[in-house]
Amino acid sequence: MVEDMDLKSMASELAKKYGFLEYMVERYIAMFGLKGAISFLESCNKGVKKAIRVNNLKIDERKLIERLRKKGFKLKRVPWVKHGYWVEEMPFSIGATTEYLLGYYYIQSPASMLAVEVLDPRPGETVVDMAASPGGKTTYLSQLMEDEGVVVAVDASRERMRSLRSHISRMGFTNVLCIRMRAEDLPKLGLRFDRVLLDAPCTGEGLVVVDKTRRMSRSLDDVMKLSNKQKRLLEAAVNIIKAGGIIVYSTCSIAPEENELVVDYVVREYDVKVEKVGVKGEPGFVKVLGYEFSEDLRKAIRLYPHTHGTEGFFICRLRA
Amino acid sequence: MPAKSLTFEKASPEELTLIARAYLEKFGIDLKDVFRANKVIVSKNDRMEAFLVSKDVFKAYEVVKRTREPYFLGLYLGYFKGSSFMPSAEGITCFSDRLPSRKRVVVSEKAEQLFLYGRDVLKGSIVYIERNLRRGEYVAIVNERNEVLGIGKLAVDAELIDRLDAQEVVIENVFDKGWYLRRGG
């Protein structure tokens, strides 16, 4: 009881200090331990570096880095993704260069790149991006598929579709078929996919490191509402995957309700299995905040600002 | 008036001819073999646009089409304007290896930035231009690395260029890739 009180007052103090809602900090302490929670909160105040993904189908990677270096940009390879570079220094916006306009790179977080790499799409396959805008992951799917096969890119918003089209055109990919629709309705399309990427709409709690407003704006009720939507979306993914196909479920949230809880539900209800992600990250939770998930959830990975220098992110690979 | 909803159809033989002729006459690019190996889809709403799609994308399109209209697909080739067709910068970029040198105007590094901000091309910005280009002709604007920056239209006969001041406009900006930043989202 005394310990609970201490933790509660500690959480309250940390919440004030770092500008978070108290319930969030209480959860971080439960998820990471006190030391880990402080380390996470501290890293949130430092922010994360921007990163770019080189479009190696359009330009030789070294040539691009050299061109940007001559313009005053300092870039450093992200060792755990294939085409990613941290932007260490920039004399002006990295999104305002000729090279950007020519489609030689995309400004993208390495965590997002990793989700696509975990899906491992191959040239000639039929792949779907269930929440495609603004196009970072869609264009990376095309890139890894060497612009062959088909990427079906789905998003419900007309406004976001414009931005998706613009990025695909700028990057010069031609194997994309964009459809404005609710991803939940994908099973009605009649297409079956070799691979499905579901980077699900989420509270964006992992983005607290880049967007301070998210530290005070999301309630547990929001988390639960989204968790239910995510379950529906992942069910749709299961219904459109070919036998033996791969689904990657990811979010930029660190809430277990939006991640392990969603995957755990689908694994119990449908004939899909969690596979090892095969890259380094913190393991998914199996017992946290009063929940108990399948042991297989350990195979999922979590990325955090204090461990990977990225926004908080969750990636899980499933095989049908 | 609300915009018409998007519908897509396979290009008719007349539309294909129009597209092929526009690429050839405006930019000297022959797409006959490309059209044999791929399909062309046309969107039918307020603005009619054409898209080049591979056989794989076309197969997926045919399945989707049973219940939905796509929003965008393949390579954006350009748009129809009355009885003519205007090729896109995306199409010109994709087939830039087929662009004859006559249809490339090379601009300096400084002019590259200005063009990408939406400005016209001034005489002083031009590094290379063929003198037989006529007023009203379309050209690809490329930088000194031969990378396509956009599309321009001659404002004067190129043979008259020596008579112009460095600050005078030689090529009007039709489309530049700065659009992706300014308007693309």
Side-chain angles (χ1 to χ4, degrees), chain A residues 115-127:
Chain A
V116 180
E117 290 184 13
V118 168
L119 186 68
D120 193 22
R122 313 283 170 88
E125 289 184 333
T126 302
V127 177

Side-chain angles (χ1 to χ4, degrees), chain A residues 211-228:
Chain A
D211 179 2
K212 286 190 177 176
T213 63
R214 289 174 195 264
R215 299 178 186 187
M216 302 293 279
S217 60
R218 301 289 196 277
S219 68
L220 205 48
D221 195 37
D222 295 328
V223 171
M224 293 316 296
K225 272 184 195 149
L226 276 156
S227 177
N228 287 330

Side-chain angles (χ1 to χ4, degrees), chain B residues 146-157:
Chain B
N146 223 354
E147 295 162 324
V148 178
L149 306 171
I151 292 172
K153 189 177 181 182
L154 269 283
V156 293
D157 289 345

Side-chain angles (χ1 to χ4, degrees), chain B residues 4-183:
Chain B
K4 283 184 206 164
S5 62
L6 266 179
T7 55
F8 288 76
E9 281 169 25
K10 236 176 101 176
S12 66
E14 294 75 25
E15 287 165 340
L16 274 182
T17 306
L18 207 57
I19 298 165
R21 209 167 60 207
Y23 268 84
L24 193 60
E25 287 175 3
K26 292 187 166 93
F27 292 94
I29 295 175
D30 188 348
L31 290 181
K32 271 199 252 27
D33 59 319
V34 174
F35 287 171
R36 273 196 294 271
N38 299 276
K39 304 279 184 189
V40 176
I41 306 290
V42 174
S43 70
K44 312 266 180 180
N45 69 336
D46 295 341
R47 181 172 146 114
M48 278 177 64
E49 298 180 319
F51 303 89
L52 184 74
V53 298
S54 67
K55 284 183 177 156
D56 283 346
V57 174
F58 184 72
K59 257 195 244 165
Y61 159 80
E62 285 196 306
V63 176
V64 169
K65 186 72 180 149
R66 289 179 206 144
T67 52
R68 294 260 166 191
E69 289 293 340
Y71 176 85
F72 170 78
L73 70 171
L75 170 71
Y76 170 51
L77 282 174
Y79 64 94
F80 294 89
K81 199 177 171 187
S83 57
S84 70
F85 184 81
M86 184 60 206
S88 66
E90 288 87 346
I92 301 302
T93 303
C94 185
F95 301 109
S96 62
D97 56 339
R98 298 174 181 218
L99 258 177
S101 64
R102 183 175 174 276
K103 285 292 185 177
R104 295 170 192 262
V105 172
V106 184
V107 296
S108 66
E109 197 177 333
K110 190 179 165 204
E112 167 182 313
Q113 290 305 316
L114 294 171
F115 183 72
L116 290 172
Y117 284 131
R119 306 274 182 81
D120 294 333
V121 178
L122 309 179
K123 181 198 166 184
S125 309
I126 296 174
V127 173
Y128 174 83
I129 186 168
E130 293 214 0
R131 301 301 163 119
N132 58 4
L133 286 165
R134 310 294 294 178
R135 183 178 176 199
E137 270 197 67
Y138 289 98
V139 288
I141 306 298
V142 304
N143 62 14
E144 290 180 83
R145 289 189 167 95
N146 223 354
E147 295 162 324
V148 178
L149 306 171
I151 292 172
K153 189 177 181 182
L154 269 283
V156 293
D157 289 345
E159 63 183 7
L160 303 176
I161 197 169
D162 293 333
R163 298 186 204 165
L164 302 176
D165 291 338
Q167 295 305 309
E168 284 191 80
V169 172
V170 175
I171 300 165
E172 289 163 6
N173 182 326
V174 173
F175 179 90
D176 66 89
K177 291 186 177 178
W179 182 93
Y180 297 127
L181 211 53
R182 297 194 301 272
R183 306 273 304 277

Side-chain angles (χ1 to χ4, degrees), chain A residues 52 54 59-76 85 99 104-105, chain B residues 145:
Chain A
I52 61 165
V54 180
I59 190 166
D60 177 87
E61 215 156 298
R62 281 167 305 180
K63 277 187 188 156
L64 174 67
I65 301 310
E66 181 57 17
R67 276 172 71 161
L68 292 174
R69 191 191 64 75
K70 281 187 180 157
K71 290 185 173 176
F73 294 94
K74 195 174 162 197
L75 299 147
K76 191 179 167 191
Y85 289 81
E99 288 76 10
Y104 293 164
Y105 61 90
Chain B
R145 289 189 167 95

Side-chain angles (χ1 to χ4, degrees), chain A residues 165-197:
Chain A
R165 174 176 173 171
S166 172
H167 283 298
I168 295 166
S169 295
R170 178 178 64 81
M171 302 287 285
F173 293 112
T174 65
N175 69 338
V176 186
L177 169 60
C178 299
I179 313 169
R180 190 167 77 82
M181 65 182 290
R182 283 164 17 103
E184 291 93 325
D185 294 334
L186 267 165
K188 295 179 194 161
L189 265 192
L191 280 172
R192 290 288 175 270
F193 299 91
D194 299 297
R195 295 176 202 251
V196 175
L197 178 64

Side-chain angles (χ1 to χ4, degrees), chain A residues 76-93:
Chain A
K76 191 179 167 191
R77 196 102 166 72
V78 183
W80 42 275
V81 289
K82 288 178 182 165
H83 304 288
Y85 289 81
W86 294 116
V87 183
E88 302 275 332
E89 283 172 30
M90 48 181 177
F92 55 94
S93 167

